[in-house]
Amino acid sequence: MAHVSTLILLLPLAGFLVILLFGRGLSERAIGSIGTGAVALSFVFTVVSFVDLLSRNAREVTVTMFTWFNVGGLHVSAALLVDPLSITMALFVTGISALIHLYSIGYMHGERDFRKFFVYLNLFVFSMLTLVLANNLVLTFVGWEGVGACSYWLVAYYFDRDSAASAGKKAFVYNRVGDVGLLVAMFLLFSRLHTLNYLTIFNRAGTLTSVAATVVVLALLLAATGKSAQIPLFNWLPDAMEGPTPVSALIHAATMVTAGVYLLARMAPVLALSSSGRATVAIIGAVTSFVAATIATSQRDIKKVLAFSTVSQIGYMILAVGAGAYSAAIFLMIAHAFFKALLFLGSGSVIHALDGEQDMRKMGGLARFLPLTFPTFLIAWLAISGIPPFAGFWAKGDVLTNTYAYSKPLWLLGVLTAILTAYYMSRLFVLTFRGTERFREVTHGHDPHESPWVMTVPLVILAVLATLGGVIDLPWIHHNSLAGFLDPTFGYLPLTAHTSTGAQVTLAVVDVVAALLGLVAAFSIWRNRVSSPTYERSFLERVWRWDDAYDATIGRPLTRAAQIGDTVVEPRIIDGAVAAVAGGVRRSAEGLRKAQSGFARHYALAMVLGVSVVIVYLVARVG
């Protein structure tokens, strides 16, 4: 177990180092093969570790590589925690990432910085694996910052474009705000429990007061809102679409934005101590899911629709965590990895076919030109819309069923979000693949072309996973369901145990009806039109004017303060004070310079006067 588990982590790191150090003399094919092969081998060893874990009586194995540092009472090792949660995360992180690497070989062909792109991709995967496999919060924080740095580099990959450079900086700054939450949680936990090791934290968590537990949960939630793009820090993610499409797929499906959900699920024993903290988590997730879904209904850029879709789907996962349905959150995370990776890579295939065009108003009628992209994208569309028997139906239904048992108002908000999800995804599907051909001006009269095999093979594999992925958590199909595998890690009995079979069937029917309502509405509105209906206002397209609000309340006031500092504080106060001190010194020096004339007679006169003063003083004292 030990050496195999460390290889999961070290192989992407090795790929990163090989490409970084020796990649200049290698061809695109060699670089792509090394990067993809490293991650694919990591997936193989993850499967081996998974099988080994299943064969053990103990489901928690700590693999210590070396002692990192000992400072006072803080003892930190570079160690891995291989348990059901970490190995489940590692399985889909490495598996989906390997497919995205393979796809990138074709998508990034001919790029000037092809080598640099794969350097960043391998480092991204290594950082995410460090985050999920770490056995302590300090090492998790290293991976947490690693994925943040890699996202900055990859989002701003086309840094010569102002929009891409700004998007990278925006992602970086928003994530730094969230990082404050994680650091505060770490400081509080160490001050109370004197450890940052996960297993020790869980054993000692019962000694936390309810107030301390609530503060820790809220701090962790702040961290999650930054990394997983939830309210109030969600609006960096749509701008991150400035990066190449494989980057979008990697961030949304396999790595960065799932990190916040993982962190909250990992800290489940602490969340269990604060009902108010978990309620806040659930509310933030539900509201974010709904708000992002409404925004997605009015976006024109195909990738931005998918970006807000990710924010919404992550909101579902956060909602499940708040409801205590941790395994349901992970189930949706896995299913989401399948169909969201497929959606992004499929959109990349569309963009590739249209020479970089991303505006859905300039697409349409692509189904007959993309014989592999079209059917695979259709599967992803049905999966995310919640149509049975695709994976999204089972996973989203699991979340909504648990939410129904937890809070009826939040469940209703979740159902409304499901209707919106089916609507905006059907709108995207119709505008892209159905209707009239509106791309002739973009392609200069030429027919669009299907992508090469290195791009279509991942689409086919992901389509199969998006179709059959629900099987991993259907207990009537097999005894070892995902929930049965994960629940002991959380120490929590799922809420579905308190929901009758009849209620579960009724809730499933509601889920299907919600999905069909969204589909019917979208087809009835969009099948014969391109221009936006009158109700599609700029309010939604401009993200509820969220950026405008931040600009008005934070950006502009700080800009004005900086301008005042530049025109008033700096030149008049700071420079004025310095100039005044310098002027005083200069004037005093000029006065003293008059006494230093250089003439001996002046000095003799001064001595006589000085002696005279002393004599007068002494005579006066004697008298």
Side-chain angles (χ1 to χ4, degrees):
M1 166 70 80
H3 65 283
V4 172
S5 300
T6 54
L7 286 174
I8 298 173
L9 192 65
L10 295 179
L11 280 166
L13 178 62
F16 157 75
L17 292 173
V18 170
I19 298 172
L20 176 66
L21 298 176
F22 308 107
R24 289 190 182 277
L26 299 177
S27 65
E28 281 190 3
R29 176 175 294 183
I31 292 171
S33 299
I34 292 170
T36 305
V39 179
L41 282 174
S42 179
F43 171 71
V44 171
F45 285 112
T46 305
V47 173
V48 173
S49 296
F50 169 68
V51 173
D52 183 75
L53 188 66
L54 288 177
S55 66
R56 293 172 177 263
N57 293 325
R59 291 293 178 89
E60 295 173 343
V61 180
T62 299
V63 180
T64 302
M65 294 180 286
F66 56 88
T67 299
W68 188 1
F69 61 84
N70 293 317
V71 179
L74 179 59
H75 307 286
V76 177
S77 297
L80 311 181
L81 174 60
V82 182
D83 71 348
L85 178 58
S86 65
I87 206 68
T88 298
M89 294 290 297
L91 279 169
F92 82 78
V93 168
T94 54
I96 301 299
S97 296
L99 294 175
I100 294 172
H101 274 69
L102 178 61
Y103 179 95
S104 299
I105 296 174
Y107 191 89
M108 300 301 291
H109 174 66
E111 284 283 344
R112 181 187 62 186
D113 293 323
F114 186 91
R115 165 179 162 270
K116 182 174 72 174
F117 183 81
F118 273 85
V119 165
Y120 291 158
L121 283 193
N122 268 206
L123 185 60
F124 208 151
V125 176
F126 166 74
S127 299
M128 187 64 185
L129 290 171
T130 301
L131 192 159
V132 301
L133 288 171
N135 89 321
N136 61 79
L137 276 166
V138 178
L139 194 58
T140 290
F141 189 73
V142 173
W144 188 272
E145 292 303 295
V147 294
C150 290
S151 70
Y152 168 69
W153 293 324
L154 287 167
V155 169
Y157 178 80
Y158 298 116
F159 59 87
D160 52 344
R161 297 197 316 234
D162 289 341
S163 57
S166 297
K169 288 183 286 187
K170 185 175 182 179
F172 193 79
V173 170
Y174 273 64
N175 275 272
R176 298 296 72 72
V177 175
D179 290 350
V180 173
L182 181 52
L183 288 171
V184 168
M186 291 168 64
F187 294 153
L188 285 172
L189 287 170
F190 183 73
S191 67
R192 300 302 179 95
L193 304 180
H194 310 294
T195 184
L196 291 175
N197 181 287
Y198 285 124
L199 297 181
T200 311
I201 288 173
F202 302 155
N203 289 332
R204 300 177 184 176
T207 62
L208 291 172
T209 65
S210 59
V211 173
T214 299
V215 173
V216 170
V217 171
L218 294 179
L220 292 172
L221 175 60
L222 176 60
T225 59
K227 196 67 72 181
S228 293
Q230 299 292 286
I231 289 174
L233 300 175
F234 74 99
N235 43 329
W236 67 267
L237 192 58
D239 289 355
M241 297 304 96
E242 290 290 338
T245 300
V247 173
S248 303
L250 193 64
I251 291 176
H252 289 247
T255 56
M256 186 168 171
V257 295
T258 62
V261 181
Y262 164 78
L263 179 67
L264 291 173
R266 171 57 77 193
M267 300 299 290
V270 177
L271 267 66
L273 301 175
S274 175
S275 58
S276 59
R278 283 199 296 112
T280 305
V281 172
I283 292 170
I284 289 294
V287 172
T288 302
S289 185
F290 175 76
V291 169
T294 62
I295 295 169
T297 61
S298 298
Q299 298 302 306
R300 300 172 180 177
D301 185 315
I302 186 172
K303 287 174 64 177
K304 285 199 172 183
V305 175
L306 298 179
F308 283 109
S309 169
T310 297
V311 176
S312 183
Q313 296 299 304
I314 295 292
Y316 269 120
M317 300 173 207
I318 298 289
L319 169 60
V321 169
Y326 303 106
S327 61
I330 301 302
F331 183 25
L332 180 56
M333 187 188 296
I334 296 170
H336 178 262
F338 297 155
F339 58 69
K340 186 52 62 69
L342 180 53
L343 287 168
F344 266 112
L345 298 186
S347 71
S349 185
V350 169
I351 295 167
H352 185 266
L354 297 180
D355 300 326
E357 183 58 58
Q358 296 181 196
D359 190 336
M360 294 184 295
R361 295 172 299 175
K362 299 178 181 179
M363 297 180 183
L366 289 172
R368 69 188 185 93
F369 299 101
L370 304 176
L372 272 176
T373 300
F374 168 67
T376 55
F377 200 99
L378 182 146
I379 289 172
W381 160 55
L382 294 175
I384 192 175
S385 297
I387 299 297
F390 300 98
F393 166 75
W394 306 107
K396 192 180 297 183
D398 197 8
V399 170
L400 289 174
T401 300
N402 280 278
T403 303
Y404 181 83
Y406 176 75
S407 168
K408 303 301 186 293
L410 294 182
W411 169 79
L412 181 60
L413 193 58
V415 172
L416 291 175
T417 302
I419 296 173
L420 291 173
T421 302
Y423 168 80
Y424 68 68
M425 286 307 305
S426 300
R427 169 179 175 267
L428 181 152
F429 182 80
V430 172
L431 287 176
T432 304
F433 292 100
R434 313 303 298 179
T436 58
E437 299 174 2
R438 305 180 299 278
F439 51 78
R440 292 298 174 182
E441 184 177 344
V442 175
T443 59
H444 305 290
H446 299 296
D447 288 344
H449 54 86
E450 184 58 276
S451 301
W453 71 268
V454 290
M455 295 173 63
T456 55
V457 167
L459 298 181
V460 174
I461 296 173
L462 288 167
V464 173
L465 293 173
T467 303
L468 304 177
V471 172
I472 63 177
D473 199 43
L474 300 182
W476 59 84
I477 293 180
H478 52 87
H479 298 295
N480 295 320
S481 65
L482 179 66
F485 181 60
L486 289 175
D487 283 339
T489 304
F490 308 124
Y492 184 80
L493 185 64
L495 285 170
T496 47
H498 306 294
T499 305
S500 67
T501 302
Q504 291 187 48
V505 172
T506 302
L507 292 173
V509 171
V510 171
D511 295 343
V512 174
V513 171
L516 292 176
L517 282 175
L519 264 66
V520 170
F523 271 87
S524 62
I525 294 171
W526 291 101
R527 62 182 177 182
N528 294 319
R529 69 184 305 161
V530 178
S531 60
S532 299
T534 56
Y535 56 81
E536 282 202 358
R537 301 297 182 185
S538 62
F539 176 73
L540 295 180
E541 188 177 354
R542 291 176 65 89
V543 194
W544 283 41
R545 299 194 180 276
W546 211 280
D547 283 320
D548 296 340
Y550 281 167
D551 186 49
T553 58
I554 300 174
R556 293 184 184 276
L558 289 178
T559 300
R560 285 195 293 270
Q563 290 171 342
I564 292 172
D566 182 52
T567 58
V568 178
V569 177
E570 180 77 20
R572 298 183 184 180
I573 298 177
I574 298 177
D575 287 352
V578 172
V581 172
V585 172
R586 185 179 62 251
R587 287 189 294 271
S588 64
E590 289 174 348
L592 290 172
R593 188 173 63 183
K594 294 178 181 179
Q596 298 290 329
S597 64
F599 295 107
R601 60 179 179 271
H602 291 169
Y603 300 149
L605 177 61
M607 291 175 61
V608 170
L609 291 175
V611 170
S612 299
V613 170
V614 172
I615 291 172
V616 171
Y617 172 74
L618 291 176
V619 171
R621 287 284 302 269
V622 172

